[in-house]
């Protein structure tokens, strides 16, 4: 390493960390934001809204536990509706974190260092929200543990042929691995927090969580290896999780579900929505906590590029679906596509094309990619679009399948909306808690990006 | 920088991880055992009955066969609980003044049935049929235990699905000739498995079907 | 450190630098000087130190591979056992051993076991949790997670000599040199100046 | 028939001891009484455990806990102790746990329908047809099966009411006796008795002796849907009081003149069966009957037709005249034609070429002259005596119902009625509106209403006496062909109720029990030397020997025809009984309310049925609230487009808008009786319809009418079939074994399967109700049906065929679980709650189900039903007595579906195994199969090549629905055939079958 020629960051279009930052200033800024008792005013206002949504969430969960899934609008042809739409939507959002942490790490995308912590936390919370839906959507929620293969007095096991069991394994594995990834990444920062904390109880809590991390070179060596291995493992995992989620549909025989394109198309969609959600959350966080030094416009630019790329894949997926429906020669498939486009839920399809297919095209322009306000709006549109995509897949496929006699409409109830909005409240609330107690940017990884004599930081490979 | 933690934390921190694993394991073990325990299954827990009826006395002492009182055991799903009338066939003659038997007489007088507490109680979604079991050589004793030695009736089997499956997967382990179903002194032959397999064939028991869900659940 | 060998009076000597390149240079010199039982403490990983300190390459990946293979075998054969041996059921006319449908769970368990291996292996091999450690006695050691870089030569090193080693460290031009006391020598809550 | 249980008396005493009006209107209070709980525990020991008092009402924990305790042993709640209650003295014939069947008869409109009632430990749980009974031949219609629910209906009247206040039978008798004695002195001049149509020989006997003692008393009969027109028509033509009876099993050409012979009315089940015998097509040169229907409002009979001519009800007469003129009925000339002349020509030709093998039937609502015309044609065509038989009326004393009621109303208006006994019926609700029967009742000093429910009429009478359900009492009745059945009770009255026999005997006789009365009547009739064995035999068989009416020979009079003047223009209004709740008497029957109505598939409401063109003219859409004004009265109800409805005709089904039906039937729909007057009992001209601007959500179970070009109901004409018998198999690609990724499972024992003959199915819904009763299927209510959550395990899909929206052809298709060998539902269930057994059943283990609904999503037939909420009523105690104990009652969150009646299969398998034999073909009869009037459903072992089902599956017409998705269903269909008249090809297109790859 030492023999590498010294390069300065000036050659880069824009450094990934503002040149005015030092090791000390980075630590003080990020750790200080957590330890400070001050919370940005805008955050307090949104927190109030979020808390109200959290209350709605509690009510909505209570209602479905008490009375059953009948409080929702689901019916006989449409056995799954909002709950599975939301599940897939949240799982998709939960893909950004691990992707940023793992895949970008393997691809030596250094810019990830500024956003991976936040994205990982977002992943965890999104997957938690996602996991709620399958758990709540069963009719007898108190028996959900029957989906786990454990020895019981019935002598019964689960049915490993069911994609729902694959889901159980995929989502719990994903949650566990994401948690471990996030936690392992946090250990050095927890030690930093421990060492910055003023109050004894803070020191104790961060101290316990840091497990006595002392920054030993021996430890760092194994740590880096472990982190790399986790990244290597998480990469196929992240691809598998949404593939498995897509199997929920692809394995069935319902036209509109039964499609071999689903796994890649779902994974791309997941990344797409995940990045959209990261942008949605990062932009206000960056502003309220004044993190422009770490999350630079270049970061936003890159994220927007990833969104554009995945958005194009997703759009390609929509076109493929059209082609498949035509080329299959099956009257059921053809009708399904016709029904999506011109049926009673036509608006959801067209809106989805607008949100996911048309809107991201503006990201071709750098001016748009670096316009924070515009990017924020686009990310919201993509979030909505990705929700609509799942709605279209779940509901419009089910509501008119093989026998026209069974066709029916799905009409959401207040509880459908409550639970959906409630989980958003739950999610944002968790994000707030996270922001207040944990460093939302990885301190040590940002430091890693600062050059020093003897080491250059080559971010030239950082191109989305 | 000062040490944040007391030196003992060195041990405690590691021990706590171990302890956590142990506690989780322990809870698992408790659950496993609890669901199989008498507390949950009522195995060997006699229930309070309106009359302390002794099967031991009536079966061993008096030599009354099961079918005398449980009349429909060979005919119907339900083995049958004897009507008060059956009790009174004898007890109008003997022990006519016994205080213990007053509820029986009262029942006969007032035409109000006796209310027994069910000892062998399957959940309502499990459809057990006595007649097919006894007609295919599954003795009373196999499930109900040595009733002839029970002063008070109690369960000897957990009546859990896994327990049912044990026999439904391999009836040859327990099957005996139909003539022996009421015999509490029956001694299975040394080669029970081979003998049992023969009986299974003889009685045309379709073993592979016995673990079909529809056999017990409708 | 062997249980039977006598424990040195102190844990070691610690030098503090204000820049990573100084630590790196110091570590390289210490290694050349023959020190082996030493450690560096940095606020972020410095891959260069692995060679500079002569740290043995970890075998974590092999361990993770073993875990992964275990997960895979457990996953597949558990499913096989459940569906074919323990409770064979005709489910939708699919064969009992419909192995293609077992791939997802097998895969997930492979990953899960591997990831556990990677994390537990790292934590375990690093000797964590270790909330109490002699280096925490060092006065300015909290800066090791901020912007200071520490080099500690431990007393168990055969070349270690309180005076000679201090001299050697001074030659590295650190900002501070501190004696690292054992944890037990003093009441950890009332440690005096060093 | 059942062991006398002392506790009924206790319950009754408790009931009698309570006062106040609310009490008997709400069952909650009753449910709270210790006595009632005790009684139920004893009657139904298995249920006792779930009624623990440890949970308080409406408590979150209770809901959870109750569900948990039902969830089973593995949940974290210990199973509570249960009581087991033996008999004091066991009845000899009863083996606990083995159901028994008793023959009796269900009576509607006076006509008996022989049934066999299944009884579990003294509780009637299921009603099916009596194969020995001529009106049933083993099948039922929806009403007969659903009548079981009335027995257990918690809203049933349970106490005597005097002027709205709770009273007692003793008090009633006390106050009635002096009045009766006073009437005796007046020879009964102020005594009137109003009944429904009576065929009961015993009741007639009682009434005759009463009238002998009170010669000036009068007995009136009224049914809102009666045979007045038929009777008048017969008198017009033959000059005597005869009634026609049809022999469709002998008819090759049938013309229905607005008659729903297979849907409603006496003999419908038998007629459908006879008709279907001519539709069982097999072999290359098979023949099949041909049905023409000249119809106003579409019915299932019209739906079966090979040619259906849509016309106003008033035009049916014109049509009949044209045909009669063409056929040469003396004195008849055609006026104008409601149809193309080729129709009349071809129809006349077809009928003429099938002399003695054709038949014309007329709807009871058509005026007498149409009946006369049709039967004149029947006589001319030589059909009389072969396909039509004329017999004496079944009624002991046939009357003109309308005139009978009018006479009573006149007497009441005059104040000549002092004592009025209304035995059954609900005239305040269903009498013609112009009679103002309810107001007239105020002029009667002492009016008594004996009825099952405390209804609109009860409210207006001074006394209401709760009536015993027919399963609680003895009686008798005669079938459409005269065959008498002695009806025996299966259970002691649940409440202090009386039968009509008992009421009359108490007031005018010796206060004997129904049993004694009925038995003493038949003692006078039986010619048997050994009465007791004759009696036992009659009870056992469910038919009294030698009571069948023999055909009479009749002679046509020289009729001078007077036809109804044709009024053109204006909106024609038709009053029809509701296909599900009839004239309103079944309004409180949840099963029937939730039963999708014939043709419209609407539940829980009545609507204004209009043709699509009329809808367009009125600028209304489905669900738009309209007011229908006629005869000065107005009803408001939603408009509904019905293809096949004639233009400018609005059809209203009566039976809704009840104000005192019970919790189920009160306040739903609109009361069309308010528009129905004596002069316009069946139809009228000049109704006005106005749009209100409101919209109303109608709960329809089927929202889409078209098959979208999919090969669902596959049909061809008979001629096409002869050329290409396996046409149906070629309408979709069926994957071969080689195309499958997996090897097939081998079924080497029994392999249960089913066929449904679409050529026979009329879409009468009998299977749906039979299934609901057999399998403890809950009623979910209108709101849930609206949401698309109805629970019927078997449904009847209705499609329209052809591109004429105004007059399409109809195709019906019963769909239940297909028990696919490659069931798509099973692999997706995460907990293996739905699996296959070794006999090929797709079994659903409810107690294992956690309710993900994935199976339902993945079912291409959408036959799985999900308990979105707690639909099973676990609170109402009386309804629990109705449950079939052999079928698990499903709770919230559990998926359910057709099981092929696995409980019946299990029972048969166990019996066969005990006897060391194989199950015989036909030994297992599923509930739907048993109920089916046309025997369209056949169930059996498809591995047994000699079984009926295997033979039917070998028929070339057999096809699998959605075979192209390779589900390998065990249920298959026999394709539908139509037999159009080639001479009508120009009027109606012929070809049916589309060929796909």
């Amino acid at each position: 390493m030492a023999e590498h020629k010294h390069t300065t960051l000036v050659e880069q279009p824009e450094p990934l960390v503002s040149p005015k930052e030092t090791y000390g200033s980075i630590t003080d800024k990020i750790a200080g934001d957590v330890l400070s008792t001050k919370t940005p005013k805008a955050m307090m206002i949104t927190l109030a809204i979020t808390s109200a949504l959290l209350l709605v969430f509690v009510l909505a969960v209570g209602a479905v536990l008490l009375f059953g899934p009948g409080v929702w609008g689901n019916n006989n042809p449409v056995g799954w509706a909002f709950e599975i739409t939301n599940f897939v939507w949240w799982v998709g959002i939960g893909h950004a974190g691990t992707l940023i942490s793992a895949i970008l790490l393997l691809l030596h995308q250094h810019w990830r260092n500024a956003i991976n912590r936040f994205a990982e936390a977002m992943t965890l919370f999104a997957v938690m929200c996602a996991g709620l839906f399958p758990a709540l959507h069963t009719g007898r929620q108190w028996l959900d543990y029957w989906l786990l293969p454990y020895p019981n007095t019935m002598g019964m096991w689960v049915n490993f042929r069911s994609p729902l069991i694959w889901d159980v394994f995929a989502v719990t594995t994903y949650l566990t691995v994401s948690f471990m990834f996030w936690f392992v990444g946090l250990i050095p920062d927890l030690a930093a927090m421990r060492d910055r904390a003023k109050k004894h109880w803070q020191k104790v809590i961060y101290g316990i969580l840091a497990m006595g991390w002392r920054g030993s070179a021996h430890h760092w060596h194994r740590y880096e290896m472990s982190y790399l291995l986790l990244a290597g493992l998480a990469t196929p995992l992240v691809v598998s999780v949404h593939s498995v989620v897509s199997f929920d549909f692809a394995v069935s025989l319902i036209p509109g579900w039964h499609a071999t394109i689903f796994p890649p198309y779902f994974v791309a969609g997941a990344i797409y929505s995940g990045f959209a959600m990261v942008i949605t959350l990062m932009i206000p966080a960056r502003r309220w906590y004044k993190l422009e030094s770490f999350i630079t416009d270049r970061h936003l630019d890159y994220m927007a590029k990833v969104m554009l790329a995945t958005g194009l894949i997703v759009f390609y997926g929509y076109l493929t679906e059209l082609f498949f429906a035509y080329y299959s020669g099956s009257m059921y498939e053809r009708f399904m596509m016709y029904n999506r486009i011109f049926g009673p839920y036509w608006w959801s399809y067209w809106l989805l094309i607008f949100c996911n297919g048309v809107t991201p095209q503006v990201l071709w322009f750098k001016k748009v990619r670096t316009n924070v306000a515009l990017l924020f709006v686009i990310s919201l549109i993509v979030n909505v679009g990705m929700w609509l995509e799942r709605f279209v897949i779940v509901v419009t496929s089910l509501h008119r399948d093989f026998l026209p006699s069974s066709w029916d409409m799905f009409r959401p109830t207040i509880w459908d909306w409550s639970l959906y909005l409630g989980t958003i409240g739950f999610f944002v609330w968790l994000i707030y808690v996270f922001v207040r107690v944990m460093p939302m940017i990885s301190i040590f990884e940002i430091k890693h990006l600062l050059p020093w004599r003897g080491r250059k930081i080559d971010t030239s490979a950082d191109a989305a | 920088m000062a040490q944040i933690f007391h030196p003992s934390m060195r041990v405690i921190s590691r021990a706590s991880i171990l302890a956590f694993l142990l506690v989780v394991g322990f809870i698992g073990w408790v659950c496993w055992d609890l669901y199989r325990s008498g507390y949950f299954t009522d195995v060997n827990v006699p229930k309070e009955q309106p009359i302390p009826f002794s099967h031991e006395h009536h079966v061993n002492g008096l030599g009354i066969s099961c079918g005398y009182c449980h009349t429909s055991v060979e005919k119907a799903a339900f083995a049958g609980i004897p009507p008060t009338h059956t009790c009174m066939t004898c007890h109008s003659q003997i022990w006519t003044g016994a205080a213990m038997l007053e509820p029986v007489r009262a029942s006969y007088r007032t035409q109000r049935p006796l209310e027994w507490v069910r000892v062998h109680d399957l959940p309502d979604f499990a459809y057990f049929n006595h007649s097919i079991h006894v007609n295919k050589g599954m003795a009373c004793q196999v499930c109900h235990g040595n009733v002839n030695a029970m002063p008070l009736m109690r369960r000897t089997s957990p009546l859990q699905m896994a327990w049912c499956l044990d026999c439904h997967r391999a009836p040859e382990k327990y099957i005996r000739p139909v003539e022996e179903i009421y015999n509490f002194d029956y001694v299975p032959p040394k080669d029970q498995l081979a003998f049992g397999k023969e009986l299974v064939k003889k009685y045309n028991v379709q073993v592979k079907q016995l673990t079909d869900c529809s056999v017990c659940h409708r | 450190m062997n249980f039977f060998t006598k424990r040195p009076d102190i844990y070691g000597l610690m030098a503090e630098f204000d820049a990573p390149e100084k630590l790196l240079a110091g570590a390289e010199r210490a290694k050349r000087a023959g020190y082996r039982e030493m450690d560096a403490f940095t606020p972020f990983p410095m891959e260069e130190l692995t060679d500079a300190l002569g740290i043995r390459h970890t075998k974590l990946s092999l361990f993770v591979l073993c875990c992964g293979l275990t997960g895979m075998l457990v996953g597949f054969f558990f499913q096989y056992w459940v569906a074919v041996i323990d409770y064979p059921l005709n489910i939708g006319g699919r064969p009992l051993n419909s192995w293609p449908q077992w791939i997802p769970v097998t895969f997930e368990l492979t990953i899960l076991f591997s990831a556990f291996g990677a994390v537990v292996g790292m934590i375990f091999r690093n000797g964590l949790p270790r909330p109490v450690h002699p280096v925490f006695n060092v006065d300015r050691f909290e800066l090791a997670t901020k912007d200071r870089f520490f080099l500690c030569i431990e007393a168990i090193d055969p070349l270690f000599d309180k005076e000679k080693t201090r001299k050697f460290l001074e030659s590295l031009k650190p900002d501070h040199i501190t004696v690292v006391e054992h944890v037990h020598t003093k009441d950890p809550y009332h440690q005096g100046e060093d | 028939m059942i062991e006398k249980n002392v506790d009924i008396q206790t319950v009754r005493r408790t009931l009698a001891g309570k006062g106040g009006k609310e009490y008997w209107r709400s069952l909650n209070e009753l449910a709270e009484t210790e006595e009632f709980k005790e009684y139920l525990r004893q009657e139904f020991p298995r249920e006792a455990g779930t009624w623990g008092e440890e949970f308080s009402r409406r408590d979150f924990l209770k809901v959870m806990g109750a569900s948990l305790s039902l969830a089973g042993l593995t949940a974290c709640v210990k199973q509570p102790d249960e009581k087991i209650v033996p008999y004091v003295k066991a009845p000899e014939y009863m083996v606990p746990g083995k159901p028994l069947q008793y023959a009796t008869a269900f009576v509607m409109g006076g006509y008996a329908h022989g049934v066999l009632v299944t009884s579990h430990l003294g509780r009637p749980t299921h009603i099916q047809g009596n194969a020995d009974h001529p009106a049933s031949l083993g099948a039922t219609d929806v009403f007969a099966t659903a009548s079981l629910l009335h027995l257990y209906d918690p809203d049933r009247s349970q106490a005597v009411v005097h002027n709205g206040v709770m009273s007692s039978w003793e008090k009633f008798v006390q106050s009635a006796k002096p009045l009766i004695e006073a009437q005796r002195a007046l020879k009964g001049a102020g005594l009137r008795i109003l009944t429904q149509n009576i065929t009961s020989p015993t009741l007639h006997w009682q009434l005759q002796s009463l009238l002998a003692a009170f010669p000036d008393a009068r007995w009136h009969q009224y049914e809102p849907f009666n045979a007045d027109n038929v009777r008048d028509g017969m008198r017009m033509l033959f000059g005597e009081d005869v009634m026609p009876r049809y022999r469709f099993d002998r008819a090759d050409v049938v013309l229905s003149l607005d008659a729903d012979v297979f849907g409603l009315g006496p003999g419908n089940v038998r007629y459908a069966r006879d008709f279907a015998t001519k539709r069982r097509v097999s072999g290359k040169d098979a023949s099949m009957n041909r049905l023409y229907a000249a119809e106003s409002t579409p019915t299932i009979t019209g739906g079966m037709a090979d040619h259906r001519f849509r016309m106003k009800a008033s035009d049916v007469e014109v049509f009949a005249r044209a045909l009669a003129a063409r056929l040469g009925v003396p004195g008849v000339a055609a006026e104008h034609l409601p149809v193309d002349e080729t129709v009349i020509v071809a129809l006349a030709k077809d009928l003429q070429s099938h002399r003695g093998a054709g038949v014309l039937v007329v709807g009871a609502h058509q005026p007498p002259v149409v009946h006369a015309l049709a039967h004149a044609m029947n006589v001319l065509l030589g059909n009389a005596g072969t396909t039509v038989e004329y017999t004496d009326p079944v009624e002991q004393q046939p009357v003109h119902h309308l005139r009978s009621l009018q006479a009573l109303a006149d007497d009441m208006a005059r104040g000549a009625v002092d004592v009025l006994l209304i035995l059954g019926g609900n005239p305040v609700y269903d009498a013609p509106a112009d009679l103002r029967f309810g107001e007239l009742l105020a002029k009667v000093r002492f009016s008594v209403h004996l009825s099952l429910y405390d209804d609109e009429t009860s409210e207006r009478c001074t006394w209401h006496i709760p009536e015993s359900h027919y399963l609680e009492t003895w009686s008798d009745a005669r079938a459409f062909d005269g065959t008498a059945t002695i009806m025996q009770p299966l259970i002691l009255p649940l409440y202090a109720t009386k039968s009509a026999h008992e009421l009359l005997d108490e007031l005018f006789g010796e206060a004997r029990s129904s049993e004694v009365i009925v038995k003493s009547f038949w003692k006078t009739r039986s010619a048997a030397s050994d009465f007791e064995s004759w009696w036992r035999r009659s009870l056992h068989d469910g038919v009294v020997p030698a009571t069948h009416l023999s055909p009479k020979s009749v002679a046509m009079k020289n009729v001078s025809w007077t036809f109804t003047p044709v009024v053109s223009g204006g909106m024609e209004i038709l009053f029809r009984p509701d296909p599900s709740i009839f004239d309103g008497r079944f309004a409180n029957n949840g099963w029937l309310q939730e039963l999708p109505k014939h043709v419209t598939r609407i539940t829980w409401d009545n609507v204004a049925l209009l043709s699509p063109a009329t809808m367009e003219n009125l600028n209304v859409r489905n669900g738009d609230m309209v007011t229908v004004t006629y005869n000065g009265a107005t009803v408001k109800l939603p408009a509904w487009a019905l293809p096949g409805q004639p233009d400018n005709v609005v059809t209203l089904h009566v039976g809704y808008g009840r104000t005192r039906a019970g919790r189920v039937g009160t306040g739903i729909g609109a009361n069309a009786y308010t528009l129905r007057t004596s002069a316009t009992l069946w139809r009228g001209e000049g109704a006005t319809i106005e749009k209100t601007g409101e919209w109303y959500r109608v709960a329809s179970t089927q929202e889409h009418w078209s098959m979208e070009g999919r090969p669902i109901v596959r049909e061809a004409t008979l001629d096409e079939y002869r050329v290409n018998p396996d046409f149906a198999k070629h309408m979709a690609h069926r994957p071969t074994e080689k195309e499958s990724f997996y090897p097939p499972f081998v079924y080497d024992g029994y392999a249960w399967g089913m066929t449904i003959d679409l050529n026979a199915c009329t879409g009468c819904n009998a299977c749906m109700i039979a299934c609901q009763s057999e399998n403890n299927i809950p009623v979910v209510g209108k709101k849930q049906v609206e949401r698309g959550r109805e629970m019927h395990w078997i449904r009847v899909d209705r499609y329209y065929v052809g591109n004429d929206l105004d007059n399409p052809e109809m195709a019906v298709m019963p769909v239940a679980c297909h028990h696919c060998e490659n069931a798509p539902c099973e692999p997706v269930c995460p907990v293996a709650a739905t699996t296959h057994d070794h006999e090929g059943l797709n079994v659903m283990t409810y107690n294992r189900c956690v309710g993900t609904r994935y199976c339902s999503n993945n079912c291409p037939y959408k036959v799985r039903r999900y308990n979105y909420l707690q639909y099973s009523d676990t609170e109402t105690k009386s309804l629990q007595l109705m449950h079939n104990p052999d079928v698990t009652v499903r709770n919230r969150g559990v998926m359910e579906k057709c099981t092929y009646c696995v409980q019946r299969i299990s029972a048969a398998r166990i019996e066969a195994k005990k006897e060391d034999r194989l199950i015989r073909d036909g030994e297992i009869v599923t509930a739907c199969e048993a109920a089916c009037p046309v025997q369209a459903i056949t169930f059996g072992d498809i591995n047994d090549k000699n079984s009926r089902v295997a033979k039917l599956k070998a028929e070339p017409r057999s096809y699998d629905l959605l075979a192209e998705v390779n589900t390998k269903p065990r249920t298959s269909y026999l394709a539908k055939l139509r037999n159009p008249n080639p001479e009508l090809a120009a009027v109606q297109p012929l070809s049916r079958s589309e060929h796909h790859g």
Side-chain angles (χ1 to χ4, degrees), chain A residues 62-81 83-84 134 136-148 150 152-154 156-165 168 246-255 257 331-333 335-336 338 394 398 400-414 416, chain D residues 59-61 63-64 67-68 70-71 73-76 697 700-712 731 784-790 795 797-799 813 815 824 826-834 846-854 856-871 891-894 961-962 964-965 967 996:
Chain A
V64 73
L65 287 177
L66 194 58
F67 302 109
V71 299
W72 299 333
N74 304 35
N75 56 24
N76 181 24
V78 190
W80 287 348
E83 79 279 32
I84 300 300
L136 289 175
H137 98 293
T138 60
R140 306 200 287 171
Q141 294 94 343
W142 53 96
L143 297 177
D144 281 349
Y145 67 94
W146 281 1
L147 269 75
L148 304 174
Y150 70 102
N152 55 47
T153 57
M154 297 176 282
M156 283 295 293
W157 298 100
V158 298
N159 173 19
F160 284 111
R161 292 170 184 86
S162 170
L164 285 183
I165 290 298
V168 168
S246 81
F247 289 161
D248 284 348
F249 307 106
V251 163
S252 82
L253 49 64
I254 299 299
W257 284 15
M331 68 177 97
Y332 306 111
E333 291 285 337
F335 177 83
M336 175 275 297
Y338 173 86
V394 174
L398 281 176
R400 291 185 165 179
D401 66 342
F402 292 96
L403 298 184
S405 60
S406 296
W407 292 359
D408 208 341
M409 293 295 288
F410 164 77
R411 290 186 298 273
T413 66
I414 187 166
D416 280 304
Chain D
D59 183 341
F60 180 81
L61 284 174
V63 178
M64 294 296 291
S67 317
L68 283 169
L70 295 163
L73 281 170
T74 46
C76 309
R697 194 179 290 286
S700 165
T701 59
Q702 191 178 342
E703 306 201 335
H704 209 83
W705 310 5
S706 156
M707 281 189 271
E708 296 287 335
R710 300 175 180 188
I712 299 172
M731 291 171 83
Q784 295 298 311
V785 178
E786 248 173 56
R787 280 234 169 261
R789 296 169 177 172
E790 62 275 6
R795 62 171 196 260
D797 288 346
R798 181 266 295 112
Y799 297 105
M813 177 181 231
V815 184
E826 290 176 11
V828 299
C829 174
V831 291
T834 182
Y846 307 119
N847 43 304
R848 177 67 176 165
C849 177
V850 297
T852 66
R853 304 186 289 286
Y854 199 173
S856 170
N857 289 342
N858 210 22
C859 171
Y861 308 97
K862 288 287 172 287
V863 290
R864 287 179 161 261
R865 296 288 183 252
Y866 186 65
N867 289 274
Y868 274 99
L869 299 166
Q870 179 62 43
Y871 292 138
N891 279 301
R892 179 257 266 200
V894 171
L961 183 60
L962 297 179
E964 56 270 40
V965 290
T967 49
H996 295 265

Side-chain angles (χ1 to χ4, degrees), chain D residues 740-810:
Chain D
S740 182
F741 181 65
Y742 286 135
F745 237 87
V746 178
Y747 298 94
D748 47 9
Y750 304 111
W752 305 117
M754 184 182 271
T755 58
I756 300 177
D757 188 349
L758 297 179
N759 204 33
C761 177
T762 61
C764 72
N765 293 341
C767 49
M768 293 180 72
I769 290 287
C771 176
Q772 185 151 28
S773 164
E774 169 71 14
N775 291 303
N776 301 335
I777 298 172
V779 172
V780 298
K782 186 190 169 212
K783 283 265 169 290
Q784 295 298 311
V785 178
E786 248 173 56
R787 280 234 169 261
R789 296 169 177 172
E790 62 275 6
M791 296 299 281
H792 300 121
W793 285 3
I794 185 168
R795 62 171 196 260
V796 178
D797 288 346
R798 181 266 295 112
Y799 297 105
Y800 290 124
V801 188
N803 35 24
D804 181 3
L805 176 67
D806 292 318
N807 192 24
E809 288 179 341
M810 200 170 96

Side-chain angles (χ1 to χ4, degrees), chain D residues 291-363:
Chain D
L291 171 63
Y292 300 91
E295 214 175 39
S296 53
T297 288
T299 65
I300 55 170
T301 306
M304 287 290 282
D306 301 297
H307 289 286
R308 179 177 184 275
F309 312 111
R310 178 176 74 120
M311 61 189 70
K312 286 182 147 189
S314 51
D315 281 344
V316 173
E317 183 178 327
V318 185
F319 180 89
R321 271 171 76 183
L323 187 63
R326 178 92 200 164
L327 288 171
V329 174
V332 181
E335 198 163 278
H336 72 269
L337 288 177
V339 289
D340 201 295
E341 197 183 350
T342 45
V343 172
I344 302 290
V345 174
L347 192 50
K349 197 174 153 196
D350 207 7
L351 283 166
Q352 275 167 333
S353 61
H354 288 91
R355 284 186 62 84
V359 64
L360 285 84
V361 293
V362 190

